[in-house]
Amino acid sequence: MTSLAELSAHQLLEGFADGRFDPVQVHDAVQAEISRREPELNTFWIRDPAESSAAAGASAERWRHGHPCGPLDGVPVTVKENIARAGVPMPSGNAAVIPVIPEHDDPITTRLREAGAVILGSTVMPDWGMLSSGVSSLHGITRSPWNPAWTTGGSSSGAGAAAAAGFGPLHVGSDIGGSIRLPGTWLGLATLKPTGGLIPLGAPYLGRAAGPLTRTAEDARLLLDVLAGPAQGDWTSLPPLGTQPRASDPSRLRIGFQPEAGDGMAVDPEVAAAVTAAVDLFADSGAEIVELPGSCSDRVLTDLDRFWRVRSLRDQQILPGDRQELTLPFIQRWVQQAAGTSGEQLMDCYHAIGTLQRRTVDLTAGCDLVLSPVAPVAAFPAEWPMPFGEQDLGMAHIGFTVPYNMSGQPAGTVNCGFTGDGRPIGLQIAGQRFTDDLVLDAMAWFETHRPASTTPVWPIG
């Protein structure tokens, strides 16, 4: 018998509507899974079981009277710890930080509450969100539900692990260079970094976006629809996209294929093979496939890495002196490499970001979609802060993901295979700005057409 914790958001809403089960039963089933697996996986910063239980009870009453309050009424969700919830401390995964305690909800949190979602709590992240793993000086190590020895990816590490573990179907993460999509590829999820500005942020920043981590493209679309639209305080936020043409199959699409990022780590042969097989599936269905060079070139990843190092160095420097050593040692070493950066060098780094924006837009301009790996490698050991362990190779692993943060184009992930030892491999599907629905359509199409051997079977573990 299928557990209620395994169901998608769409399946839950159908069950609530026809009375087969109610939000309290679902909440209890999800909490049972959390109690069973959370001690090992380590996904939550703050859990609110009493509050979420009360919210589920109120939702059950609304459903009993046939008056749900919104499109997510009764559906369990989580939010990343850097998305404000009034009264919940925001330490950004760093033990050195004296957490900000927000007085108001982030627009994302407000919209979830208005939609009737049952917020289970805030999920963890690594120090300042600057690691692509679940390693944190504050939280310890977050581990993959597929195998606790493997990384979750990051920085939306807790959100990704919660999605894969069945701690509710909907999870909100944030992404500045791949932080939604990297957990997506290493955990077999359906995720979306939306068009820049489509989901409003409490703290907008160059390249930053928030978006869904889910187990199906259909659920990612549901969550996007709830969260999208302008909000006071986010000067980058956009109006809703409105109705877009639906693409039921790829036969009329011109699709770019980027087998290489153009800079950074080489693509592992197993990753390359799985992604190429996915591209072939689109080609066999009538899509025109055009091979494209990578978006990264001319040391852009090195320059971008230095730009971020300087920002985090400043964050480290303003910490109280007696707390600075509490930051993760890897991050301490990483930021110190930026010490002495001149204003001229920093401006060169900033201009390199503009070059990456322009190159990405120009390269992809003639394509409806662009397919590529999400990351050059599959999941690495959970204890490693980065795909290269304790080495400092900067941002050599985000050459496929970060271009779309800087260009503002939507990019999603969907599982397309597994390594020989069972680690998930993700396909990145990117589109033009404001074509988020087309990206989600392509993800959903692929989910229904990919071989069974490449399809995750939930629940995991």
Side-chain angles (χ1 to χ4, degrees):
M1 181 177 177
T2 301
S3 164
L4 294 177
E6 300 169 28
L7 300 182
S8 71
H10 279 82
Q11 290 171 323
L12 292 180
L13 291 166
E14 290 172 359
F16 297 157
D18 64 22
R20 280 179 289 134
F21 45 79
D22 67 28
V24 171
Q25 292 170 294
V26 169
H27 178 267
D28 290 348
V30 170
Q31 290 293 345
E33 283 302 298
I34 294 172
S35 296
R36 182 174 73 88
R37 306 199 67 188
E38 176 64 7
E40 180 177 55
L41 300 182
N42 188 28
T43 69
F44 281 97
W45 157 232
I46 298 289
R47 278 181 64 194
D48 306 315
E51 183 178 332
S52 59
S53 179
S59 175
E61 279 297 306
R62 292 192 292 271
W63 280 106
R64 262 192 292 276
H65 291 91
H67 298 295
C69 71
L72 298 182
D73 205 348
V75 178
V77 304
T78 72
V79 297
K80 191 174 177 180
E81 71 175 86
N82 61 353
I83 296 170
R85 295 195 295 134
V88 177
M90 299 173 66
S92 296
N94 191 331
V97 169
I98 298 173
V100 171
I101 301 178
E103 295 181 1
H104 305 286
D105 284 342
D106 188 281
I108 288 170
T109 309
T110 298
R111 288 178 182 176
L112 290 173
R113 295 192 199 281
E114 290 173 347
V118 175
I119 299 177
L120 301 175
S122 297
T123 53
V124 300
M125 60 188 282
D127 293 49
W128 286 317
M130 296 313 298
L131 295 175
S132 299
S133 69
V135 179
S136 162
S137 62
L138 178 63
H139 307 304
I141 298 171
T142 301
R143 298 178 179 277
S144 170
W146 290 86
N147 184 329
W150 300 342
T151 189
T152 57
S155 64
S156 301
S157 50
F167 298 173
L170 303 179
H171 306 269
V172 185
S174 63
D175 187 320
I176 198 172
S179 290
I180 289 171
R181 289 158 290 159
L182 294 173
T185 188
W186 293 325
L187 292 166
L189 302 173
T191 73
L192 180 71
K193 182 214 75 68
T195 292
L198 187 58
I199 293 178
L201 298 166
Y205 180 80
L206 177 64
R208 186 172 186 242
L213 294 95
T214 62
R215 297 188 293 272
T216 70
E218 186 179 40
D219 275 2
R221 188 193 304 274
L222 176 65
L223 187 51
L224 177 68
D225 288 345
V226 167
L227 300 181
Q232 186 70 30
D234 182 354
W235 56 92
T236 69
S237 61
L238 299 172
L241 297 181
T243 302
Q244 300 178 38
R246 301 300 301 270
S248 58
D249 68 71
S251 63
R252 297 184 180 181
L253 300 180
R254 189 170 194 265
I255 297 178
F257 173 35
Q258 286 184 312
E260 302 289 342
D263 193 12
M265 298 175 71
V267 179
D268 180 88
E270 286 188 290
V271 172
V275 171
T276 299
V279 174
D280 289 344
L281 187 60
F282 281 90
D284 292 344
S285 296
E288 177 188 0
I289 305 295
V290 182
E291 188 164 320
L292 302 176
S295 296
C296 295
S297 65
D298 302 324
R299 291 175 47 84
V300 68
L301 293 179
T302 301
D303 289 340
L304 177 63
D305 174 61
R306 179 176 287 272
F307 186 81
W308 286 340
R309 286 185 202 236
V310 171
R311 183 191 68 163
S312 294
L313 175 63
R314 186 58 186 148
D315 290 337
Q316 176 75 0
Q317 289 172 335
I318 63 178
L319 291 170
D322 61 346
R323 300 187 65 85
Q324 291 187 9
E325 292 302 311
L326 299 177
T327 298
L328 193 76
F330 182 95
I331 291 291
Q332 293 184 48
R333 297 192 301 271
W334 178 72
V335 300
Q336 285 303 319
Q337 290 299 312
T341 298
S342 68
E344 291 86 350
Q345 289 174 310
L346 192 60
M347 283 306 300
D348 287 343
C349 294
Y350 180 76
H351 290 313
I353 295 171
T355 299
L356 178 60
Q357 291 172 321
R358 182 172 60 253
R359 179 174 169 82
T360 303
V361 171
D362 288 348
L363 277 176
T364 62
C367 299
D368 299 299
L369 299 170
V370 179
L371 308 181
S372 73
V374 183
V377 295
F380 47 92
E383 293 78 11
W384 288 10
M386 286 291 209
F388 25 83
E390 293 287 341
Q391 296 182 77
D392 185 352
L393 299 184
M395 296 295 159
H397 59 296
I398 63 171
F400 290 109
T401 51
V402 74
Y404 298 111
N405 291 84
M406 299 308 157
S407 70
Q409 294 169 245
T413 72
V414 61
N415 200 69
C416 67
F418 296 91
T419 62
D421 58 0
R423 291 171 291 161
I425 298 171
L427 172 71
Q428 180 170 253
I429 303 179
Q432 300 300 324
R433 291 184 74 204
F434 315 121
T435 63
D436 300 66
D437 274 352
L438 178 60
V439 170
L440 289 164
D441 284 345
M443 290 167 56
W445 179 89
F446 185 75
E447 285 177 343
T448 60
H449 289 78
R450 62 188 171 188
S453 61
T454 69
T455 303
V457 178
W458 310 105
I460 302 301

